[in-house]
């Protein structure tokens, strides 16, 4: 029997980031035994005409489309969605963050209208958490929105034996390892974590006992950011308190996750969703120190999995960490590992995606409706109340 064909429209590695990693995991998963995959890589803007040509020629049974959260990327997405609508193709869109609606609400009126219109032709939409369902309010019927959490890559989760050994060793550990694992973009909050290292250095120099060592892993977004990071290290003499690992993959990433005790991500990144690195940290039994931003509060419960900090309160994170005993960290780590196994394993994620793909392929092919105006759509015919503006706090700031 011929396998259904699914065309994956997304960004793929390299470089590695949340979106490309999720697409790559999907492509190389056990789903290959059930579906035939085609890929369209949206990474290079210069290749967009070839991407459109590939989409136009594809006879896939379903198009899986990881949509953008930027204004420029949205223009590209509208063109792709228009092409799929004209071809009457099933399209399942996947939003890997929480910024899409805030972006749409800030667009020029004609582009906002185009987004509302485009949603009428998609088969369904996937969002990461229940709190993100409201992003598509007024754009999609609720029964066409599916909730699907990210899944952590099993390759980076330590086996039970190693975890039990780590947990036993934690009771005797004098200096705890704090891990920042994400791209080093200012809005990701890595400077807040670096400031914790400064506070630790000052306490140690004043005669208090050493408590933490800080590890940073990821890519800088530009040379200026790297220079600022290095200058801060030099100014506060933090070389013995901080280790910068650069981009880590494979065994290096595995080792870093498995030897750390606390995961710190005080992010305010506008396009943040549900960080996969956070789920990997939970799977390895790390205590979580994070911000109450995007989809993170749907994963991390204060006092259970770690602690969340509101905007402007990030400086309190160090004092909270300092107040924890090794037993506290071990207890939260055990809860986090259990939560990962219950909700965030790669197998759970792939099984859920399998069901969504099957459902979407069985859906009727979308009807091609008459469009009152040529592309780009005219906006005067649309009543004001058909373009509701969502309260950004619902999906952007918690």
């Amino acid at each position: 029997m011929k396998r259904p064909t699914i065309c994956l429209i997304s960004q793929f590695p390299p470089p590695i980031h949340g979106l490309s990693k999720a697409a790559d995991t999907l492509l190389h998963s056990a789903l290959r035994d059930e579906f035939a995959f085609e890929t369209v890589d949206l990474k290079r803007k210069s290749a967009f005409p070839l991407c459109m040509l590939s989409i136009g020629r594809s006879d896939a049974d379903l198009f899986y489309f990881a949509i953008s959260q930027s204004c420029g990327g949205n223009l590209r997405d509208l063109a792709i969605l228009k092409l799929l609508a004209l071809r009457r193709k099933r399209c399942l869109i996947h939003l890997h963050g929480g910024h899409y609606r805030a972006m749409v609400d800030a667009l020029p009126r004609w582009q906002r209208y185009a987004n509302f219109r485009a949603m009428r032709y998609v088969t369904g939409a996937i969002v990461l958490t229940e709190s993100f369902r409201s992003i598509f309010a007024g754009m999609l019927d609720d029964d066409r929105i599916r909730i699907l959490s990210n899944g952590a890559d099993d390759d980076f989760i330590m086996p039970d034996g190693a975890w039990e050994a780590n947990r036993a060793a934690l009771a005797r550990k004098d200096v705890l390892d704090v891990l920042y694992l994400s791209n080093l973009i200012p809005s990701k909050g890595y400077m807040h974590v670096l400031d914790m290292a400064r506070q630790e250095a000052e306490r140690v120099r004043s005669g208090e006992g050493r408590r933490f060592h800080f590890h940073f892993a990821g890519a800088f977004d530009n040379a200026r950011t790297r220079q600022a990071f290095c200058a801060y290290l030099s100014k506060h003499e933090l070389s013995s308190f901080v280790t910068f690992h650069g981009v880590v993959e494979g065994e290096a990433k595995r080792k870093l996750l498995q030897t750390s005790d606390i995961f710190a991500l005080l992010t305010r990144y506008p396009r943040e969703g549900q960080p996969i690195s956070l789920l990997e940290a939970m799977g390895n039994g790390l205590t979580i120190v994070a911000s109450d931003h995007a989809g993170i509060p749907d994963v991390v419960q204060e006092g259970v999995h770690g602690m969340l900090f509101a905007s402007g309160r990030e400086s309190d994170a160090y004092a909270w960490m300092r107040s924890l005993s090794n037993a506290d960290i071990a207890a939260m780590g055990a809860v986090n590992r259990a939560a990962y196994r219950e909700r965030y394993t790669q197998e759970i994620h792939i099984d859920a995606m399998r069901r969504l793909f099957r459902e979407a392929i069985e859906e009727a092919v979308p009807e091609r409706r008459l469009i009152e105006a040529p592309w780009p759509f005219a906006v005067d015919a649309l009543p004001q109340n058909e373009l509701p503006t969502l309260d950004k706090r619902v999906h952007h700031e918690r």
Side-chain angles (χ1 to χ4, degrees), residues 198 200-208 236-238 240-241:
R198 177 193 61 78
E200 173 75 354
E202 290 178 355
R203 292 185 73 128
V204 171
R205 288 166 188 153
S206 69
E208 296 193 32
H236 297 285
E237 300 178 349
L238 300 179
S240 61
F241 295 87

Side-chain angles (χ1 to χ4, degrees), residues 78 109-119 375 377 379:
L78 289 174
R109 181 169 166 78
W110 74 266
Q111 194 172 346
R112 286 185 63 213
Y113 179 27
N115 275 271
F116 274 77
R117 175 68 88 173
M119 290 302 121
W375 181 269
F377 300 115
V379 300

Side-chain angles (χ1 to χ4, degrees), residues 45 117 125 138 144 154 232 274 297 309 313 329:
K45 295 178 182 178
R117 175 68 88 173
R144 286 200 287 158
D154 293 342
Y232 195 94
Q274 186 187 66
F309 293 89
R313 299 296 302 274
I329 293 171

Side-chain angles (χ1 to χ4, degrees), residues 11 22 55 59 89 104 164 184 214 217 244 292 302 361 385:
Q11 296 181 33
I55 294 168
D59 198 31
K89 291 294 185 178
V104 169
E164 291 291 351
L184 285 94
F214 295 82
F244 175 64
D292 62 343
E302 288 190 0
I361 289 172
N385 61 7

Side-chain angles (χ1 to χ4, degrees), residues 68-144:
S68 173
Q69 300 183 94
S70 69
C71 181
N74 181 249
L75 290 172
R76 174 204 66 198
D77 291 357
L78 289 174
I80 292 172
L81 291 171
K82 175 68 172 178
L83 175 60
L84 293 174
L86 289 172
R87 297 190 65 213
R88 300 186 63 230
K89 291 294 185 178
R90 300 178 185 90
C91 177
L92 183 64
I93 62 173
H94 196 162
L95 178 62
H96 282 271
H99 187 61
Y100 170 77
R101 186 54 176 270
M103 179 268 297
V104 169
D105 287 346
L107 291 173
R109 181 169 166 78
W110 74 266
Q111 194 172 346
R112 286 185 63 213
Y113 179 27
N115 275 271
F116 274 77
R117 175 68 88 173
M119 290 302 121
R120 299 182 180 186
Y121 298 89
V122 302
T123 303
I126 302 171
V127 294
L128 296 170
T129 73
E130 185 64 38
S131 66
F132 284 177
R133 183 186 290 275
S134 61
I135 288 173
F136 289 103
M139 304 179 82
L140 280 172
D141 292 336
D142 196 63
D143 61 1
R144 286 200 287 158

